[in-house]
């Protein structure tokens, strides 16, 4: 998998991603401490509102990012986003009102909503070979998982010698380093975007393609299943560890680490798996596994947390959630790449970024409110039903390779040699058929 690092441009971009993620991780810890300084016992409410504002910024701003590369070079967009984030990080230590935090967080996350889809859309042009691109997706997944594990440890180490507010300086340095790396990296010019009649019209191009392509509609359903599992882990792990199991706070990183370990194990294995299997099979199994794990969690929760098997059981379920989410999230870029014409790739990546975070905007409060009012058992049941409906919906939405498409199969897969016929009704309803057996994009 590491052979992809021989590509100098990709190596710099990956380094930029890693240092920016490190800065983001430090900011997460620093924001929690700042919220406590400003709000005391109400810090949880401040952080919850901050998280909601983050998701709203992603949902609203990301679609506009899909239209920007038509007017602004990619490198300018990426550097401007990093500089904006660095500026906000340097301002945060000086705020003395909660609403100041909200305003600055919206600016910070709006810049991230521009940076991420533009960065993701550039990778297929930097790595046109599908095997290299798949390895890059796996490395990106590993980078996210390692950030979630290592950034809190790094923050804890820095807090032994620095004041909490100085963590924002580390955040700014991460974003500035990312900007410097991107500025020194020549990026391929994207294909000319489809003429959609103006910036506002182009903003909706990715959303229209999501609505038109069954693979992308299925991806949206799978995003919802992943968000159900991820929200449970993010919001309710502390409740499971402290209240359900009665363990000290030091056990919390162990549970979160199990989730990260499951995700990293799958991310490492997927490049080889995807050489023998298709994206549809891998991702749908991930979605269905998510729903099955909610069933196992329901049994575990109903049995109580007093037995010696309770902690190992919880860690196994959390590791399973990490693995199931990685089965969906890691190949998602391949699906977007194949479904989107090159000229609309940034728009579709932006739509994927926005819609997936819209799913999180639904599941985050659902996980928190249900746990507070109905308990952990009801939370597992509600989110489990949501994940099951989403996974089954994805199975029904995504046509099997023998039906309408074989675009999901890797190059050289033996099934590509099979003759396939697209039903005439499909052609009549959806227009001319392209090589992958799906209708030509509008």
């Amino acid at each position: 998998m590491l052979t992809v690092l021989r590509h100098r441009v990709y190596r710099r971009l990956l380094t930029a991603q890693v240092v920016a993620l490190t800065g983001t991780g430090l900011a997460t810890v620093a924001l929690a401490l700042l919220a406590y300084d400003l709000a005391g016992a109400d810090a949880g409410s401040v952080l919850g509102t901050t998280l909601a504002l983050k998701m709203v910024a992603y949902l609203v701003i990301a679609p506009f990012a899909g239209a920007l590369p038509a007017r602004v070079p990619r490198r300018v967009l990426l550097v401007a986003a990093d500089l904006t984030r660095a500026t906000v990080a340097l301002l945060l230590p000086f705020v003395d009102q909660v609403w100041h935090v909200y305003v600055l967080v919206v600016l910070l996350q709006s810049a991230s909503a521009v940076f991420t889809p533009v960065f993701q859309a550039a990778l297929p042009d930097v790595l046109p070979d599908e095997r290299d691109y798949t390895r890059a997706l796996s490395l990106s997944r590993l980078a996210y998982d390692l950030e979630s594990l290592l950034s809190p440890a790094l923050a804890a180490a820095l807090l032994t010698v620095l004041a909490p507010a100085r963590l924002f300086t580390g955040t700014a340095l991460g974003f500035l380093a990312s900007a410097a790396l991107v500025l020194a990296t020549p990026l391929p010019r994207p294909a000319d975007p489809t003429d959609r009649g103006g910036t506002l019209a182009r903003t909706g191009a990715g959303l229209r393609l999501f609505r038109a392509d069954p693979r992308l509609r299925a991806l949206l359903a799978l995003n919802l299943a992943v968000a159900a599992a991820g929200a449970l882990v993010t919001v309710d792990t502390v409740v499971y560890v402290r209240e359900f199991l009665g363990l000290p706070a030091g056990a919390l990183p162990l549970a979160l680490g199990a989730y990260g370990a499951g995700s990293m194990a799958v991310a490492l294995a997927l490049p080889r798996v995807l050489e023998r299997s298709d994206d549809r099979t891998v991702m749908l199994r991930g979605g269905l596994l998510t729903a099955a794990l909610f069933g196992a969690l329901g049994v575990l929760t109903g049995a109580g947390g007093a037995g010696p098997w309770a902690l190992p059981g919880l860690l196994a379920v959390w590791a399973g959630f990490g693995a199931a989410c990685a089965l969906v999230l890691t190949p998602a870029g391949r699906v977007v790449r194949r479904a989107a014409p090159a000229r609309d790739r940034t728009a579709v990546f932006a739509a994927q970024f926005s819609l997936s975070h819209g799913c999180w905007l639904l599941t985050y409060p659902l996980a928190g409110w249900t746990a507070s009012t109905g308990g952990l058992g009801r939370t597992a049941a509600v989110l489990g039903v949501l994940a099951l409906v989403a996974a089954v919906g994805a199975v029904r939405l995504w046509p099997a390779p023998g039906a309408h498409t074989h675009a999901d199969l890797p190059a050289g897969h033996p099934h590509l040699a099979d003759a396939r016929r697209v039903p005439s009704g499909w052609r009549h309803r959806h227009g001319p058929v392209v090589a992958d057996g799906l209708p030509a994009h509008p």
Side-chain angles (χ1 to χ4, degrees):
M1 185 169 68
L2 296 179
T3 55
V4 71
L5 296 177
R6 296 173 183 170
H7 295 261
R8 182 172 60 88
V9 172
Y10 170 69
R11 188 169 63 247
R12 288 185 178 179
L13 289 177
L14 178 63
T15 305
Q17 181 188 24
V18 169
V19 295
L21 283 174
T22 302
T24 301
L26 293 177
T28 301
V29 177
L31 272 174
L33 296 172
L34 177 62
Y36 185 79
D37 287 341
L38 294 175
D42 293 329
S45 175
V46 173
L47 289 174
T49 303
T50 299
L51 191 61
L53 289 173
K54 170 184 175 179
M55 294 301 153
V56 170
Y58 285 174
L59 184 64
V60 174
I61 300 299
F64 289 93
L68 291 176
R71 300 184 179 277
V72 184
R74 281 172 170 169
R75 190 160 52 170
V76 173
L77 283 173
L78 294 173
V79 171
D82 271 336
L83 293 179
T84 300
R85 296 192 290 185
T87 301
V88 170
L90 291 174
L91 291 175
L92 276 168
F94 300 101
V95 304
D96 56 5
Q97 299 290 329
V98 170
W99 71 268
H100 295 165
V101 176
Y102 295 156
V103 171
L104 290 176
V105 164
V106 168
L107 289 175
L108 177 70
Q109 303 304 341
S110 295
S112 294
V114 173
F115 182 95
T116 302
V118 173
F119 179 90
Q120 290 173 337
L123 288 184
D125 294 329
V126 172
L127 299 170
D129 180 80
E130 181 154 303
R131 288 187 176 183
D132 286 340
Y133 181 59
T134 302
R135 295 183 183 109
L137 292 176
S138 294
L139 287 175
S140 291
R141 183 76 250 151
L142 286 171
Y144 278 107
D145 290 332
L146 286 172
E147 181 274 323
S148 66
L149 292 173
L150 298 181
S151 288
L154 177 61
L158 290 174
L159 286 172
T160 62
V161 295
L162 297 175
R166 301 298 290 272
L167 290 180
F168 287 115
T169 303
T171 297
L173 290 175
F175 291 138
L176 290 173
S178 173
L181 286 164
V182 172
L183 191 61
T185 304
L187 295 178
R189 182 182 178 86
D192 291 335
T194 302
D195 185 6
R196 304 283 182 180
T199 300
L200 288 178
R202 278 196 295 271
T203 297
L207 299 175
R208 287 193 293 271
L209 287 173
F210 255 83
R211 186 180 61 207
D213 194 300
R215 292 166 293 186
L216 296 179
R217 294 200 299 271
L219 175 59
L220 178 57
L222 290 171
N223 284 333
L224 183 57
V226 166
L232 178 86
V233 171
T234 302
V235 176
D236 294 327
T237 297
V238 64
V239 184
Y240 269 99
V241 169
R242 300 303 306 276
E243 298 295 329
F244 179 70
L245 296 177
L247 296 175
L252 182 61
L254 181 64
L256 295 175
Y259 177 86
S263 179
M264 287 188 289
V266 168
L268 285 169
L270 268 182
R272 291 186 179 275
V273 172
L274 290 172
E275 290 179 2
R276 301 187 300 272
S277 187
D278 58 273
D279 296 335
R280 180 183 184 272
T281 299
V282 170
M283 295 175 69
L284 292 181
R285 286 178 179 175
L288 293 171
L289 176 59
T290 300
L293 287 165
F294 271 109
L297 181 63
V299 173
L300 180 70
T301 306
W309 46 266
L311 177 59
L314 184 72
L315 295 180
V317 171
W318 257 232
F321 276 139
C325 291
L327 285 172
V328 174
L329 295 175
T330 306
R334 288 162 49 108
V335 176
V336 174
R337 180 191 190 190
R338 289 171 172 177
R343 63 183 181 272
D344 290 323
R345 190 173 287 153
T346 303
V348 180
F349 271 104
Q352 156 67 1
F353 185 81
S354 175
L355 293 172
S356 63
H357 284 89
C359 295
W360 288 88
L361 185 59
L362 168 67
T363 57
Y364 268 141
L366 188 60
W369 295 337
T370 309
S372 297
T373 60
L376 293 176
R378 182 174 295 181
T379 303
V382 171
L383 291 176
V385 169
L386 184 63
L388 179 61
V389 170
V392 172
V395 173
R396 295 178 64 85
L397 286 169
W398 198 334
H404 299 313
T405 178
H406 53 268
D408 307 303
L409 297 176
H413 195 284
H415 288 174
L416 287 175
D418 296 344
R420 284 174 172 65
R421 298 180 61 84
V422 177
S424 58
W426 175 272
R427 183 179 288 104
H428 175 73
R429 292 191 302 271
H430 300 282
V433 174
V434 293
D436 64 359
L438 284 170
H441 292 286

